[in-house]
Amino acid sequence: MDRLDVSDGFDVHDYRHGLKLLQQDRGTMTLANRQGFACPACGDAFERLFVSENRTNTFGDPGSPFCLVRTDDELLVLTH
């Protein structure tokens, strides 16, 4: 299982073969993990990935465990 590499930021195009875009608006996108990539925080497979370039975000209860990863430019929220 390949782990998302965020050591030099996150580029969705590097993983487009295994991630499916579910929703996108200005500054955010939600993707499904179709390839079974591993979470860069904990190493477990994740189901969905939320990527935000916004300064603030509001989240509801995801109903499952989640991990947060911060790059220089983005916040990544990975639900398991």
Side-chain angles (χ1 to χ4, degrees):
M1 173 174 11
D2 291 332
R3 194 175 204 156
L4 294 185
D5 182 7
V6 296
S7 59
D8 192 30
F10 177 73
D11 187 350
V12 69
H13 301 292
D14 292 342
Y15 301 97
R16 67 177 173 254
H17 62 281
L19 297 173
K20 180 181 179 179
L21 182 64
L22 300 175
Q23 183 177 348
Q24 183 174 16
D25 60 26
R26 215 171 21 171
T28 67
M29 69 176 92
T30 304
L31 304 121
N33 184 7
R34 297 188 307 175
Q35 189 74 22
F37 292 119
C39 173
C42 70
D44 292 339
F46 62 92
E47 294 178 16
R48 295 209 175 177
L49 168 61
F50 175 79
V51 180
S52 176
E53 296 173 349
N54 295 338
R55 185 170 178 87
T56 61
N57 296 282
T58 303
F59 304 102
D61 180 2
S64 63
F66 64 93
C67 292
L68 300 173
V69 176
R70 180 76 182 135
T71 68
D72 289 340
D73 300 321
E74 299 162 322
L75 172 69
L76 283 65
V77 179
L78 304 101
T79 56
H80 296 275

